[in-house]
Amino acid sequence: MSRKTFMRSIACLSVLASIRLHGQTVDAFPEIPPSVLPPGRMEAGLEQDPMGSRLFQTTSARTQIQLGGFWDFVTDAGGIGEKNRYPELFPDPETSLWVPGTWNAIPRYWQYEGPAWFRRTFAVPRDGHVRIRFGGIFYWSKIWLDGKPVGEHEGGYNPFDVVVTDVKKGRHSIVVRADNRLNDVTLPKYGTDWFPYGGIFRPAYAEMVPSVYIDAFQVIPTEINPERAGLYVKVFIKNIGNREGNQTIRFAVDGKILYSGVHRMTGQDQTVTLNAVLPNPRLWSPGDPHLYGARVVLGENGDDQYDRFGVRYLTVSGNQILLNGKRLKLMGANHHDDHPDWGAALPAHIIRQDIEILKRMGANAVRGHYPPGELFMDYCDQNGLFFMNEVPSWQYRPEQMANPVCKKKIKRQFDDMVYRDMNRPSVFSWSLGNEWREFEKSYNDIKELVDHARSVDTTHFITFITGGAHIDRSIDLVDIVCTNWSTYQWYWDPSFRDEDSGGNPVSTVLSSEIAGVSIGQLQEIQKHFPKKPVILSEFGAASSQAGWHNWGNVKWSEEYQARNVWDSGKYALEQDWISGGCVWQFCDTRAVPMRMLGPRFRGWNAKGVVDAYRQPKMAFYKLQELFHAHARTE
Ligand code: ADA
């Protein structure tokens, strides 16, 4: 480097430093302090998960076997695989597919919706019982071990396992059939506004389990005060050997045993409950997302499970939400597991980056239409992002809501969602669905679902999400009113309809008339439900083509989107009766084929404040400005 170039780069550096230290830019574009994202392991001394499924090791007692990696892969558009005995006589593979992964991220299978087969072998280190755990297979799946069927599952976003008893030491073949065809009674249904990426798209592993083992445990903090928190713990035990007799159960937090007791094993699956006391609890909050590391051990040198929990309390006072006694306004983004190169199988580095972008945005919350990957949730716990969790009964019609098959699936997916995420302090609410088409007509079905949800969990807010402001008695059933205010401009603006019908693409600045009507409707909620907190579960929905600018705020321009996000986000944060909201949406996401024309630009839902590759649009900076400015007022 010449002296001149060297001096020039020094000058550049000092300009940057001065911007960072003294300039206005610090406020507009705040940096993430390095401590915001601690390395991907917990403070409580737990190791990283060698299976890559979580941010921490979930067991130190079980031998685990990685099922991630390349699997033989073949599609089966004609659905002949079972008749032709693929589980035993696997045909010549078309290719090898990486697990976790989705075939729809590969050009050859970009649009493929149908059955497909996966096969690999793995080594079982000793004779014993093998539990095979899938973090998520989209959408229908069947599993065979050594040619024999061992399990099947429906639903893409929840984990499940199959346990095979008395497996011999040595190599075994595992075959999976996955099918991503959706229909009217699936959850999600056919034709949602996100892509049904098929495959074993979340981490998979196997582990050796004893005859009596811990399936999971739940830690419920009770009676929280500065001196102590009561911990009510439920240990869910599986007994595959019908073993009876006494077992010691120990419960430890951050390496300290808080409970030890002897319990009778009944010979069946059972739930053991115990109580412990945590001294001087440090509360979890977005500003201080403190996590405790818990471990349950069964028997003297027996089976074990680790999990993390937080101590925090969310309450409602009038129409305000309080976190640990202080006012909380959500500032967040709606997030889909979606990326042009990875589809829904987001790898850890992309998940981490998404969390980093959300923190940079100033967010304290995220919402999704379905439970995201477990790593994503781990990062939310660890980085102080609330998550509004949901069952994907997206835009179900009244006949679907009334259909006992659909209702059973909603309940089942609700239970699975709660069971998976029950310990996470980041879980803000459980939603039973999004934008159901009718509320009055579906009232009895909605009530049945809400009653079910309350029978499963009483420790979180229960809600569903309405498309626009709904005023009817079903709202009385929920703890918080969640409204998608995406009608604010985009779908009401006449230029949208003109464009759709091939007419003049009218250049329109955001119309104050439309905004007025839209705000008026929103205010009806406050009038009718003055004692209920209101969250704008989606606001600012407007598509923009990243990089396209226009002086006139024309639809599809970054300016139009930025204005929409700014106006509606600002409104949400300024109203005392609104407890914040989440922008629609985090990044541009791939649309289903039936939506690729018309309002889905180039086949993508382009309402992301960052584009599909996570490059910021103008709307991102406006939102960042809004969120950071609001945080300073708190
Ligand atoms: C709704 C829906 C989203 C998405 C959005 C949009 O609010 O909940 O899933 O479809 O509209 O982009 O139009």
Side-chain angles (χ1 to χ4, degrees):
M1 189 188 288
S2 72
R3 190 166 181 277
K4 215 158 135 200
T5 329
F6 176 68
M7 290 312 288
R8 213 181 292 136
S9 56
I10 292 281
C12 263
L13 278 178
S14 64
V15 168
L16 278 177
S18 72
I19 287 173
R20 285 171 75 165
L21 291 175
H22 310 294
Q24 273 298 311
T25 330
V26 170
D27 287 332
F29 307 105
E31 291 296 320
I32 312 178
S35 63
V36 164
L37 289 179
R41 58 162 62 198
M42 61 175 308
E43 296 148 64
L46 301 186
E47 293 297 323
Q48 288 194 43
D49 175 15
M51 300 299 107
S53 154
R54 303 291 301 269
L55 276 183
F56 57 93
Q57 175 195 38
T58 55
T59 174
S60 54
R62 300 179 192 170
T63 306
Q64 295 186 308
I65 305 142
Q66 179 58 267
L67 294 180
F70 281 115
W71 290 52
D72 295 334
F73 178 76
V74 70
T75 50
D76 179 17
I80 56 166
E82 281 185 72
K83 208 173 76 213
N84 289 359
R85 294 166 54 207
Y86 281 12
E88 298 146 78
L89 312 167
F90 204 82
D92 284 344
E94 289 168 9
T95 187
S96 294
L97 215 71
W98 185 261
V99 168
T102 165
W103 63 71
N104 296 108
I106 294 170
R108 181 169 172 190
Y109 306 110
W110 193 252
Q111 295 283 47
Y112 183 69
E113 286 176 57
W117 294 78
F118 295 76
R119 180 196 55 187
R120 66 166 285 164
T121 61
F122 67 102
V124 173
R126 57 175 187 274
D127 294 359
H129 311 314
V130 177
R131 174 180 182 257
I132 304 165
R133 204 225 189 224
F134 294 99
I137 300 183
F138 201 91
Y139 169 83
W140 312 86
S141 53
K142 277 193 185 177
I143 326 292
W144 288 261
L145 193 73
D146 303 324
K148 288 195 201 80
V150 290
E152 51 190 284
H153 185 257
E154 183 192 338
Y157 300 112
N158 292 313
F160 66 97
D161 61 25
V162 292
V163 178
V164 191
T165 53
D166 303 313
V167 180
K168 291 277 171 236
K169 174 180 172 177
R171 284 209 90 75
H172 294 268
S173 130
I174 179 168
V175 169
V176 173
R177 179 189 194 268
D179 187 342
N180 63 338
R181 280 173 301 180
L182 301 175
N183 58 42
D184 245 20
V185 294
T186 54
L187 206 62
K189 68 177 186 182
Y190 173 75
T192 50
D193 198 4
W194 69 93
F195 197 87
Y197 292 103
I200 310 172
F201 79 109
R202 288 184 179 162
Y205 60 91
E207 58 188 7
M208 307 299 294
V209 287
S211 307
V212 183
Y213 67 90
I214 304 160
D215 198 49
F217 64 89
Q218 181 178 17
V219 183
I220 305 171
T222 56
E223 297 160 45
I224 302 164
N225 62 52
E227 286 78 47
R228 69 189 288 284
L231 300 179
Y232 177 61
V233 183
K234 295 184 188 175
V235 184
F236 305 102
I237 293 173
K238 291 275 179 196
N239 196 328
I240 48 180
N242 304 113
R243 295 284 164 91
E244 294 184 26
N246 288 338
Q247 290 268 24
T248 310
I249 295 184
R250 279 174 293 154
F251 170 69
V253 173
D254 291 351
K256 239 199 225 135
I257 296 177
L258 298 188
Y259 174 91
S260 178
V262 177
H263 294 260
R264 174 137 197 86
M265 297 295 105
T266 59
Q268 314 281 324
D269 294 349
Q270 69 190 93
T271 303
V272 169
T273 59
L274 53 96
N275 285 290
V277 172
L278 180 73
N280 311 315
R282 181 165 154 195
L283 300 184
W284 186 97
S285 68
D288 181 20
H290 183 74
L291 293 173
Y292 288 99
R295 182 179 180 219
V296 174
V297 185
L298 193 61
E300 272 326 302
N301 293 309
D303 190 52
D304 72 349
Q305 281 290 283
Y306 294 93
D307 205 350
R308 310 188 297 187
F309 69 94
V311 180
R312 84 301 175 271
Y313 50 100
L314 278 168
T315 46
V316 166
S317 164
N319 61 9
Q320 319 248 301
I321 296 171
L322 306 181
L323 168 66
N324 304 330
K326 281 196 213 112
R327 178 86 206 265
L328 173 73
K329 273 211 181 208
L330 296 189
M331 296 186 283
N334 281 275
H335 184 275
H336 267 302
D337 287 1
D338 197 291
H339 188 281
D341 297 336
W342 310 93
L346 298 185
H349 69 280
I350 300 287
I351 294 174
R352 192 175 203 281
Q353 180 189 266
D354 283 0
I355 298 288
E356 217 162 357
I357 295 169
L358 285 158
K359 294 299 289 184
R360 190 175 286 254
M361 183 193 279
N364 61 11
V366 197
R367 173 180 170 243
H369 278 323
Y370 44 79
E374 287 165 278
L375 268 184
F376 189 93
M377 291 300 288
D378 282 345
Y379 272 117
C380 287
D381 286 335
Q382 195 158 310
N383 294 286
L385 290 165
F386 274 115
F387 194 88
M388 300 176 77
N389 221 334
E390 191 160 297
V391 174
S393 65
W394 189 90
Q395 294 192 359
Y396 257 27
R397 298 184 304 276
E399 62 277 17
Q400 290 170 305
M401 297 295 288
N403 183 337
V405 174
C406 297
K407 257 192 303 210
K408 205 167 145 199
K409 289 181 188 178
I410 296 179
K411 289 180 191 170
R412 169 88 201 275
Q413 287 203 23
F414 181 87
D415 298 354
D416 288 353
M417 166 174 78
V418 173
Y419 194 65
R420 192 195 77 169
D421 291 341
M422 58 197 164
N423 286 329
R424 299 179 177 284
S426 60
V427 171
F428 176 80
S429 54
W430 308 121
S431 157
L432 285 152
N434 177 70
E435 297 188 353
W436 296 326
R437 280 353 216 164
E438 294 268 355
F439 285 84
E440 193 49 48
K441 224 183 201 166
S442 299
Y443 181 79
N444 290 336
D445 305 306
I446 295 174
K447 179 155 184 346
E448 183 185 329
L449 292 173
V450 173
D451 287 348
H452 172 81
R454 295 201 189 283
S455 74
V456 174
D457 183 42
T458 51
T459 64
H460 291 85
F461 295 137
I462 305 288
T463 191
F464 51 74
I465 275 84
T466 66
H470 270 273
I471 311 296
D472 66 63
R473 61 194 170 128
S474 66
I475 300 296
D476 284 325
L477 300 170
V478 295
D479 299 316
I480 37 176
V481 185
C482 292
T483 292
N484 291 346
W485 203 33
S486 26
T487 39
Y488 174 61
Q489 289 283 351
W490 186 255
Y491 289 112
W492 285 12
D493 191 322
S495 69
F496 175 77
R497 286 192 287 273
D498 286 351
E499 198 175 34
D500 231 17
S501 62
N504 279 340
V506 181
S507 152
T508 126
V509 179
L510 295 177
S511 130
S512 52
E513 195 189 326
I514 292 174
V517 175
S518 181
I519 287 170
Q521 291 195 348
L522 203 56
Q523 285 165 342
E524 289 295 302
I525 303 179
Q526 188 201 14
K527 239 186 264 160
H528 285 84
F529 305 100
K531 287 270 152 59
K532 293 240 184 220
V534 177
I535 287 174
L536 302 187
S537 29
E538 295 177 22
F539 70 80
S543 295
S544 76
Q545 177 186 355
W548 187 58
H549 294 275
N550 185 286
W551 296 110
N553 280 329
V554 171
K555 270 195 164 183
W556 300 101
S557 68
E558 287 204 27
E559 283 78 1
Y560 184 102
Q561 181 196 24
R563 273 285 297 278
N564 196 336
V565 165
W566 176 262
D567 285 357
S568 50
K570 193 159 179 290
Y571 185 80
L573 291 177
E574 277 174 359
Q575 308 310 304
D576 199 45
W577 60 278
I578 299 180
S579 292
C582 294
V583 73
W584 184 267
Q585 65 173 339
F586 175 73
C587 66
D588 292 353
T589 52
R590 195 164 140 195
V592 288
M594 68 182 267
R595 287 174 195 267
M596 284 179 86
L597 298 172
R600 295 292 172 264
F601 173 76
R602 271 175 40 207
W604 291 75
N605 185 322
K607 302 191 188 79
V609 293
V610 300
D611 73 8
Y613 281 103
R614 281 49 172 172
Q615 303 197 61
K617 300 183 191 172
M618 273 178 79
F620 173 86
Y621 293 109
K622 294 312 281 179
L623 200 59
Q624 184 188 44
E625 197 179 325
L626 212 54
F627 285 177
H628 282 272
H630 182 80
R632 281 194 296 271
T633 65
E634 281 183 330

